[in-house]
């Protein structure tokens, strides 16, 4: 009487492209100007969105003005 024991292990990894992940990839590929345009367009299309400035909300980080150069941060 012979007994035989076997054990198999199979690992798989799968990336599921959810709509949220697709949107994140698209946003990360945009330039700053494209992102600003897209945000403005979304704000025009959705009346529930509103722009918050740093004066209104102290939690909003300081906005970097285009006049500031990289040399100021060295």
């Amino acid at each position: 009487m012979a007994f035989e024991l076997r054990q198999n292990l199979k690992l798989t990894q799968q990336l599921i492209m959810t709509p949220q992940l697709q949107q994140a990839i698209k946003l990360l590929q945009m330039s700053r100007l494209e992102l600003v345009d897209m945000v403005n367009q979304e704000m025009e299309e959705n009346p529930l969105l509103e722009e918050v400035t740093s004066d209104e909300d102290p939690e909003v980080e300081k906005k970097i003005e285009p006049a500031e150069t990289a040399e100021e941060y060295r």
Side-chain angles (χ1 to χ4, degrees):
M1 202 153 101
F3 288 102
E4 186 176 327
L5 296 176
R6 290 186 183 195
Q7 186 176 19
N8 292 328
L9 178 63
K10 181 179 179 181
L11 292 175
T12 60
Q13 188 173 19
Q14 191 175 18
L15 176 63
I16 299 173
M17 292 291 286
T18 64
Q20 185 178 12
L21 181 57
Q22 292 173 1
Q23 182 185 35
I25 292 170
K26 182 180 174 184
L27 291 173
L28 288 170
Q29 291 176 336
M30 289 183 178
S31 69
R32 184 181 186 278
L33 292 176
E34 291 171 329
L35 186 59
V36 168
D37 287 342
M38 194 270 314
V39 168
N40 288 334
Q41 180 182 352
E42 290 292 328
M43 288 179 62
E44 288 175 7
E45 293 174 4
N46 187 344
L48 297 177
L49 297 177
E50 63 181 50
E51 186 173 0
V52 178
T53 63
S54 59
D55 295 338
E56 297 172 13
D57 188 355
E59 295 295 317
V60 176
E61 294 183 21
K62 179 182 177 273
K63 183 172 130 183
I64 298 175
E65 298 298 326
E68 297 177 14
T69 63
E71 294 167 359
E72 294 174 349
Y73 296 102
R74 290 184 186 172

